[in-house]
Amino acid sequence: PMLIAQITDLHVRAPGKQLYGKLDTAGYAERAVAAVAAYKPAPALVLVTGDLVDAGSADEYANLRRILDRLPMPYRLIPGNHDERDTMRASFPDHGYLAGAEGFICYTIDDLPLRLIALDSLDVGKIGGLLCDVRLNWLDARLSEARDRPTMIFLHHAPIQTGVRHHDEEPFRGAEAFAAVVARHPQVERVVAGHVHRSMNMRWAGTVFSTCPSTAHQFVLDLSPDNHVDYALEPPGFQLHAWRPGQGLLTHTLPIGDYPVTRLR
């Protein structure tokens, strides 16, 4: 199969800085990059699905780039709610796709057996996502031009109610219109995102929607109505999306860390 790796919600800080004064997110990102780089067979591409850094600053992006450039395969970026588009572009000047479309970081990747479409769901100054008419019309046009190509869409925000309260309280504006666009295009094999710092999946808009765990901290899954905003150092992870013609797209979630392996046969 052709493998595409996904990492998300790195929240990299500047050198020497820690998130919340205690989480070495840059160190966690280094560990994630090492895990992806060591995987065999090697993924063809790595998708980094937003919240790349924590405060959108140039020194954070420089630290992020130092880490991501250790990957032996190409990688592609999209912004999350902690990112800053112009600083991203300035920090990765050789990543021409970041110019995007209509001022947003939206683009397609057409040279793989599975077509990939990147969506910029950033709503500046907000935690929740936004897909405006400009972005949705662009998506509809891209899907309409290649109806015979199996396609995976990747973005940062989850256009669903996830049970993670502090995310659900910040609505994804345009989620219903997004679902309507996707539902019109049966070639969409999967829509993948980050943002919620957990792995989850559901049938959505005639396809499958899934999220990837963070490379750093995870948000505690507390489905009670009065839950708190808690995080835990549960095992971080990355995902492998395996495309096999004749079968389709299969997603594996792999924990990041040192776990003993015992050969059974």
Side-chain angles (χ1 to χ4, degrees), residues 54-120:
D54 195 61
S57 66
D59 53 355
E60 289 180 336
Y61 283 115
N63 203 20
L64 172 74
R65 172 146 205 171
R66 175 187 64 81
I67 297 166
L68 292 180
D69 280 353
R70 297 175 181 175
L71 287 165
M73 68 285 291
Y75 61 88
R76 296 291 180 266
L77 310 171
I78 53 170
N81 47 288
H82 281 259
D83 292 302
E84 207 289 324
R85 291 187 188 102
D86 289 341
T87 311
M88 273 181 68
R89 292 178 174 123
S91 302
F92 294 86
D94 52 330
H95 287 233
Y97 62 90
L98 292 175
E102 306 287 348
F104 301 106
I105 299 177
C106 298
Y107 56 92
T108 63
I109 300 171
D110 294 301
D111 58 349
L112 296 172
L114 179 69
R115 191 182 193 219
L116 304 174
I117 298 181
L119 278 183
D120 176 344

Side-chain angles (χ1 to χ4, degrees), residues 20 23 163-167 196-198 217-224 226-234:
Y20 308 136
L23 300 181
V164 180
R165 189 185 72 180
H166 68 287
H167 284 156
V196 293
H197 291 233
R198 299 205 67 83
H217 54 298
Q218 313 309 316
F219 287 118
V220 173
L221 184 61
D222 180 352
L223 298 179
S224 60
D226 58 347
N227 61 55
H228 301 284
V229 181
D230 297 327
Y231 73 84
L233 293 180
E234 297 177 22

Side-chain angles (χ1 to χ4, degrees), residues 200-242:
M200 57 186 72
N201 61 82
M202 67 175 288
R203 185 165 180 81
W204 176 82
T207 187
V208 175
F209 171 77
S210 66
T211 64
C212 181
S214 169
T215 60
H217 54 298
Q218 313 309 316
F219 287 118
V220 173
L221 184 61
D222 180 352
L223 298 179
S224 60
D226 58 347
N227 61 55
H228 301 284
V229 181
D230 297 327
Y231 73 84
L233 293 180
E234 297 177 22
F238 70 100
Q239 290 186 328
L240 285 174
H241 306 289

